[in-house]
């Protein structure tokens, strides 16, 4: 039934699962919601990272070779991407894989560090860089402050 997909989309919009306020197609919103749940990453946190990192630009490329909406760093000889693909089974350079790998990474950092600010520092600086910062008494950065402000906005938008 061709109307069935339309009815499902309407129901998902009405329930708040999809949102016209999120600047991603519903397919990508579904990936992000699904894999945030799978990897225990708060959905507003993943949205905030996507906003701050790339302004939701799937084709974004950073100065150090970071790619996609989640701006995943390739690492030396692409080792970070290789490890992410090994852990998730997804290619972090594709739009879906980038969302999935980003949710995985954020969820892993949340599990390891327990606090969004610490998870964000590890996401942004790498675990070793974050550890050095913490040892120096740094518990927040301009990046974490920007992302946490975006988290608050997304929580308000999504209810």
């Amino acid at each position: 039934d061709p109307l069935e997909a339309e009815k499902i989309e309407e129901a998902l919009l009405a329930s708040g699962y999809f949102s016209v306020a999120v600047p991603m197609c519903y397919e990508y919103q579904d990936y992000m919601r699904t894999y945030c749940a799978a990897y225990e990453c708060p959905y507003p946190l993943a949205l905030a990272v996507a906003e701050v990192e790339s302004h939701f630009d799937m084709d974004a490329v950073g100065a150090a070779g970071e790619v996609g909406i989640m701006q995943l760093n390739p690492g030396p000889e692409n080792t970070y991407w290789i490890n992410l693909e090994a852990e998730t089974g997804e290619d972090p350079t594709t739009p879906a894989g980038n969302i999935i790998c980003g949710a995985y990474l954020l969820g892993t950092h949340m599990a390891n560090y327990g606090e969004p600010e610490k998870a964000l520092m590890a996401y942004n600086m790498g675990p070793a860089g974050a550890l050095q910062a913490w040892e120096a008494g740094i518990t927040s950065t301009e990046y974490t402050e920007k992302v946490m402000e975006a988290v608050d906005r997304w929580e308000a938008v999504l209810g």
Side-chain angles (χ1 to χ4, degrees), residues 79-101:
T79 53
Y80 299 164
W81 288 349
I82 291 166
N83 291 340
L84 284 170
E85 190 164 356
E87 292 295 325
T88 64
E90 297 290 336
D91 179 351
T93 65
T94 66
N98 196 267
I99 291 168
I100 293 164
C101 290

Side-chain angles (χ1 to χ4, degrees), residues 85-149:
E85 190 164 356
E87 292 295 325
T88 64
E90 297 290 336
D91 179 351
T93 65
T94 66
N98 196 267
I99 291 168
I100 293 164
C101 290
Y104 166 79
L105 202 52
L106 285 166
T108 299
H109 292 325
M110 284 295 295
N112 289 339
Y113 306 114
E115 300 170 23
E117 291 84 352
K118 284 188 168 186
L120 289 167
M121 287 178 74
Y123 187 91
N124 183 248
M125 308 166 97
L131 183 59
Q132 284 182 323
W134 300 328
E135 287 172 349
I138 299 167
T139 57
S140 181
T141 64
E142 185 179 328
Y143 175 80
T144 60
E145 290 167 12
K146 267 189 186 172
V147 175
M148 291 309 296
E149 286 173 13

Side-chain angles (χ1 to χ4, degrees), residues 31-50 70 98-112 115-116 119-120 123 147 151 155 158:
Y31 288 141
M32 190 171 278
R33 279 207 181 265
T34 299
Y35 288 94
C36 280
Y39 296 126
E40 298 182 9
C41 168
Y43 182 59
L45 181 66
L47 288 173
V49 167
M70 303 303 283
N98 196 267
I99 291 168
I100 293 164
C101 290
Y104 166 79
L105 202 52
L106 285 166
T108 299
H109 292 325
M110 284 295 295
N112 289 339
E115 300 170 23
L120 289 167
Y123 187 91
V147 175
V151 168
E155 286 175 344
L158 298 172

